[in-house]
Amino acid sequence: MADNRSYASMKKLRNIRSAGTAALLTALLMTAGCMSSAVANKPPVSAGVDFFAMNTYMTITCYGPDAKAAADAGEAAVYELEKTESRMISTSEISRINANSGKGPVTVSQETFDIIADAVQYAEKTQGAFDITIAPVMDIWGFGDGNYKVPTDAQIQAALPLVNWKEIKLDAANLTVELPVAGMQLDLGGIGKGFASDKVQKIMKGCNVTAALINLGGNVAVFGPKTDGSLWKIGIADPNAPDPNAADAFLGVLTGTDISVITSGGYERFFVQGGKTYIHIMDPATGKPAESDLLSVSIVTPNGMQGDCLSTALFVMGKDKAMTYWRDHKDFSCILVTTSGEVFASQDLKDKFALVDTKTAYTLQFFS
Ligand code: ADP
Ligand code: MG
């Protein structure tokens, strides 16, 4: 079974490569190409890689005549993206934009420009529930450097004016991004893995891969039929399990292919202080962890980046607004798990999603 949770506790990491090796690999693949003419005559085989990137465990398993090269190319692409998009890497394009806030526009690559432009569109669509200018708020809660602490109200009030996606200035003709207010900072943590997953899929398809399972820390994408011709089964994490990331801790199973399944939940990253839990998904309106009546949101969609943005946004919105958002758009499917144990799945998942028999603490309803 594929699984859309963090891979940490499911499998011992076998194969961590350094970013340097990955970059070299990309260079080699770009010269050699993973689709040499010899490949066409090779029988299909399966191959997989497990690695750590973007602060999480990742795995790519694929099937095709040159599966190993494809998996390696996918892994290398993730490392490359991390190097450009992480605000924790001082030489990244995002760090250059952040270092220049209040000082003028910064020229970026087309890819970085596109990610930011798409993120801005999702901010607009979700009325700011998804907002990549959330970084100053992440930092005062210690989610930037892992030095967790509850900030003072004054710190929250100081950070909040810096969180406003409407201030991001994009110039498509000159490929520049500007954060006009000093102290504004971008954080692509809520979109990066979804974008990466779409990119890995494209690489796989370009490498003649016929079927793949791509799990980037809970952002799962599958395409093609499994080797026995059957559809993929993707476990949806049980957010109430002692360890929601454990291999058998899923509350339901989704069956399908050519989809991404992306879950956001408070259980993924949090800290406890004074008996209270503080999660890593922030409400940009309050500058505090989202006080959601949802424990998790899973988005099912062919577009991984959309799924990543919306899983975060719908979590922030809470159950009622999330359902309304689905009704207003219907260009994705979703599974909402509430704090009181109800599971609401959009009705287009009726034939695809079911609870696991043993999870009697949950009730499933399809909504329309
Ligand atoms: P995960 O990273 O666990 O898969 P998400 O996709 O929900 O979970 O992303 C959460 C990350 O997104 C946070 O760690 C932070 O970097 C960023 N983030 C937090 N709140 C928001 C928000 N309201 N809008 C956009 N990004 C956010
Ligand atoms: Mg997300």
Side-chain angles (χ1 to χ4, degrees):
M1 171 163 314
D3 192 295
N4 85 328
R5 271 84 47 82
S6 154
Y7 209 60
S9 50
M10 292 159 58
K11 200 167 174 182
K12 200 162 167 289
L13 205 62
R14 287 197 308 265
N15 187 15
I16 301 179
R17 281 200 195 85
S18 75
T21 318
L24 180 67
L25 198 63
T26 318
L28 288 174
L29 285 165
M30 276 160 68
T31 346
C34 51
M35 269 297 293
S36 62
S37 52
V39 166
N41 301 322
K42 282 194 200 169
V45 290
S46 68
V49 285
D50 300 335
F51 55 104
F52 189 87
M54 299 183 174
N55 215 11
T56 189
Y57 291 95
M58 303 189 162
T59 167
I60 299 170
T61 311
C62 61
Y63 189 77
D66 213 3
K68 181 71 176 88
D72 287 343
E75 176 184 358
V78 175
Y79 283 129
E80 284 302 308
L81 265 176
E82 182 176 27
K83 271 200 325 206
T84 13
E85 313 308 339
S86 169
R87 74 182 180 103
M88 297 304 160
I89 297 175
S90 62
T91 49
S92 75
E93 295 195 29
I94 297 303
S95 291
R96 280 204 292 114
I97 297 169
N98 289 349
N100 221 49
S101 71
K103 296 184 200 155
V106 174
T107 307
V108 296
S109 63
Q110 183 72 56
E111 187 169 63
T112 297
F113 186 89
D114 291 344
I115 299 175
I116 296 173
D118 284 334
V120 165
Q121 283 199 355
Y122 283 106
E124 187 168 13
K125 278 188 159 178
T126 62
Q127 298 181 331
F130 182 81
D131 189 336
I132 54 165
T133 63
I134 198 71
V137 164
M138 296 305 291
D139 287 345
I140 56 170
W141 291 87
F143 283 108
D145 58 8
N147 229 334
Y148 304 124
K149 63 222 159 214
V150 177
T152 62
D153 279 345
Q155 286 175 308
I156 295 173
Q157 292 318 314
L160 265 178
L162 301 171
V163 178
N164 186 357
W165 61 273
K166 291 179 185 161
E167 295 277 2
I168 303 173
K169 288 197 164 52
L170 296 172
D171 179 342
N174 294 305
L175 281 187
T176 63
V177 180
E178 179 180 1
L179 303 178
V181 184
M184 275 185 81
Q185 307 275 297
L186 300 183
D187 176 351
L188 300 192
I191 184 172
K193 281 178 282 172
F195 182 87
S197 150
D198 291 342
K199 186 167 184 180
V200 170
Q201 279 193 72
K202 278 190 207 114
I203 289 170
M204 301 278 109
K205 288 174 182 169
C207 289
N208 224 17
V209 163
T210 51
L213 161 68
I214 299 154
N215 184 351
L216 309 186
N219 284 233
V220 172
V222 288
F223 70 80
K226 290 203 300 184
T227 43
D228 63 2
S230 66
L231 293 170
W232 299 91
K233 289 186 185 303
I234 299 163
I236 303 295
D238 175 358
N240 286 314
D243 174 9
N245 292 316
D248 55 355
F250 43 87
L251 66 79
V253 175
L254 187 99
T255 308
T257 192
D258 301 316
I259 45 164
S260 287
V261 184
I262 292 174
T263 301
S264 284
Y267 60 87
E268 291 285 1
R269 258 174 89 201
F270 61 86
F271 68 96
V272 181
Q273 194 175 307
K276 208 171 171 254
T277 300
Y278 300 94
I279 63 166
H280 75 308
I281 301 173
M282 295 289 158
D283 184 343
T286 63
K288 297 178 185 175
E291 302 243 343
S292 185
D293 56 357
L294 297 173
L295 291 178
S296 72
V297 173
S298 300
I299 304 288
V300 185
T301 167
N303 178 342
M305 189 177 64
Q306 176 206 33
D308 203 0
C309 295
L310 291 185
S311 66
T312 310
L314 268 58
F315 187 94
V316 172
M317 289 177 196
K319 184 193 88 177
D320 291 341
K321 281 190 184 160
M323 284 180 168
T324 304
Y325 188 92
W326 178 79
R327 289 186 190 108
D328 288 348
H329 293 84
K330 292 196 179 166
D331 55 349
F332 64 98
S333 311
C334 61
I335 300 162
L336 315 172
V337 182
T338 73
T339 48
S340 44
E342 300 144 315
V343 181
F344 292 97
S346 54
Q347 54 116 38
D348 49 354
L349 292 178
K350 204 147 196 160
D351 301 326
K352 298 177 186 146
F353 177 70
L355 290 183
V356 173
D357 287 347
T358 52
K359 293 289 174 179
T360 50
Y362 292 96
T363 55
L364 172 61
Q365 297 161 62
F366 291 93
F367 72 96
S368 56

